[in-house]
Amino acid sequence: MITNTELEQKGNQFPNSVKNIRQEVDTLYFTTENNVILELTVLRDSVVRFRYGTRGILEEDFSYAIDPDNHIGYNHLELSENKNFHIVTTAKLIIKIEKISLQTKILDTEGNLINEDELGFHYEESFTLGGNIVKMSKRSHPGEAFYGLGDKPVHLNLRGRRFSNWATDSYAFGKETDPIYKSVPFYIGLKDKRAYGIFFDNTFKSTFDFCQERLDVTSFWAPGGEMNYYFIYGPEMSEVVQNYTHLTGKPELPPLWTLGFQQCKWSYYPESTVKGIAKKFRDLKIPCDGIYLDIDYMEGFRCFTWNKEYFPDPKRMVKELLNDGFKTIVIIDPGIKIDPDYWVYKEALENGYFCKRADGPDMIGKVWPGECAFPDYTNPEVREWWAGLFKELVGEIGVRGVWNDMNEPAVMEVPGKTFPDDVRHDFDGHPCSHRKAHNVYGTQMARATYEGVKKYVYPKRPLVITRSAYSGAQRFTSSWTGDNVATWEHLWIANNQVQRMCLSGMSFTGTDIGGFAEQPTGELFARWIQLGVFHPFCRVHSSGHHGDQEPWSFDDEVTDIARKFIELRYTFLPYLYTMFYEYATEGIPMLKPLVYFDQEDPHTHYRTDEFIFGNNILVCPIIEPNSKGRRMYLARGRWYNFWTEEYLEGGRELWVDADIDSIPMFVQEGAIIPRYPVQQYVGELSIEELKLDVYYAEDTIDSQVYEDANDGYDYKKGRYSLRNFKLRGKATDLTIQQHKGGNFETEYDTIKLHLIGLPFRIKKIKVDNVAYDLNNLDKEDKFLKLPEDFSVVQIIG
Ligand code: GLC
């Protein structure tokens, strides 16, 4: 064990004895003899911020990650002391701060130790010895597991590894590549089945070590900025993730079509190709809502221009596509081509909107268009200008969504593939170097894009997609996981990344289905589509260098499988929309890793493949070639096999058949799953009835279905429909009560119940206390048609 004295010789400094304490409402300041300040703020009873300043100084408080609308409020805050500790008590936590060292221990109110400092806060300021690093180390315990950190392409449980956060263009990254595109310095610890979270809101290149260097220590540090972290207590992992998402923000509801299927490629051009792809979807009756134009639609890769040879009349084309249900989404990169005749370049140059090197000139780097300059999106004036650039593209031409790429920012042919460290940024009035602004650059670009698209697409809702992101980006944008590869290993990576993103506050994420680099076999494509339809963002994309990657690009069998699963997704649209609503309002992740679903069950702590889609559907992709099925872990509880309706007891491993046209899928008993008919695109059909798949349970279970106009903002004025269902199953009867909220009138008059797993023969049915003619019951399928506004239905055996 290395001693503090030895560490000090290496340049580390430590806080010493507390000499002064000051309280300002929810914030306590502990100042030490050697002038370290700990600012401790209670945001909620279970959310506490720790921020450390040295030399008696705290920086001006500013964060891109924290949602300005984040609500705070706690029930209890009390400061006391004993011989060795100052003690801060909230309604959920006891925080002990050691008087001689500022080291903290955090306990729940029952006295269980949740998290404790090892060395705690320490730092290096001496440039001769390395300089300017803020560090935190925590003790960790055997069996403690760690999750989160955004897009890391590794096993869900991060224990035993070290990662850094520095947004990086990572073409054809692999399992273990680190860092890649996103920086989300937030993790969840699970100790003795109790979960807590730590969000280190520091935008420098932070590093996290989860017991890699030392088995019993977890640490995180950054080469600049402040030690500034939020501690979020559960004990449920769901509470941790929700509180983190409240803190860093939730998205607004996207238009429903963005949850439909999206088709992309680098690149579809000219217009006749785009039209041909669209037509083929309709001819083959494969549902699709979005079609994407990659960089070749532009004139010489100049953003906000069109190649008029390929696209002579974009407005007409976009309209014609829309008439057939296709929304057009275009790519916009940050690199602005240096060309004195190009209006975007000229405007930015004249106004000084480009990022500059420390000694003055504009930052110049090569991207697709050749030499480019790069707007400084960390400047609010630049963001406003950028937003205005979407007027023609979105407001006049009618593009519905914008895809932001290369925003790490990526620079070609240079070491590090990005800006040099000395580049200057405004950072919203806190001028700094690229070392501090790098990780937020992509998010601020997506934010500026979002403001523009939102303004000009109004009264519709916007869609923005980003490759790079920092915590909080979810308020503005969806994301995809970048340039993956068409290999089986990448299918595993895709599954882990999307689950991890969901735990990290960024549910609206998908992967390039089929793989971006290289070419998938038909079998791999089929297996990827089967997984991809369960991801919140569902888009096929490929580099196009090795062949086509449309659902029909393989053989008829693969086309049929792709159609079957895309259709399945469309039938789940109301379920998907409801899970998005729960994400947007409560911060509930759309997919839940098994450990989130049941942290009490230690079997889940190391599972990666199985996840819960929404609240009730357990999915486990097939990720190996030539499979006829697989072994998997069915979480505790009771489940119905989605395909066979077989009733199964969980909490065990089992073999599940899943030939090439199937995927293991189980519905939790008691679930009510809303379904729409298959449509070729959202809004193609008027929905004439809502189907509810009701999975009997001898239990009482609540569920809900959210609907609205699928676009626009009327829902904010109460024009939504929220159906709350209470299912009560007994040995010989099943009751479902409905309570409706909101004042949106759904199109349909009928709700069709499909009863699954009833353990008794139906003798009588009552709907709102009136007997239901059993002759109307479809005996075989047990379909029961009800008025959409029924209050209670009783099915009696
Ligand atoms: C980057 C993106 C990819 C895109 C390509 C061309 O590689 O990650 O999605 O197709 O650039 O724009």
Side-chain angles (χ1 to χ4, degrees), residues 64-65 248-249 442-443 446 466 468-478 505-506:
Y64 280 119
T248 56
T443 301
T466 187
S468 183
Y470 181 71
S471 296
Q474 68 272 8
R475 306 203 294 276
F476 318 112
T477 177
S478 66
M506 295 188 189

Side-chain angles (χ1 to χ4, degrees), residues 253-264:
L253 276 174
L256 184 60
W257 66 263
T258 63
L259 299 180
F261 180 70
Q262 320 282 314
Q263 180 70 39
C264 186

Side-chain angles (χ1 to χ4, degrees), residues 29 119 269 304 565:
Y29 296 88
L119 295 174
Y269 70 89
F304 306 100
F565 281 88

Side-chain angles (χ1 to χ4, degrees), residues 169 171 181 265-266 294-295 331 333 368 403 405-406 467 480 482-483 512 516 539 541-543:
D169 177 9
Y171 174 79
Y181 303 94
K265 176 184 163 169
W266 180 14
D294 205 327
I295 48 176
I331 196 167
D333 288 352
W368 307 120
W403 166 27
D405 186 24
M406 308 298 273
R467 191 169 74 174
W480 92 107
D483 297 343
D512 283 354
F516 178 75
R539 183 183 77 158
H541 182 41
S542 69
S543 68

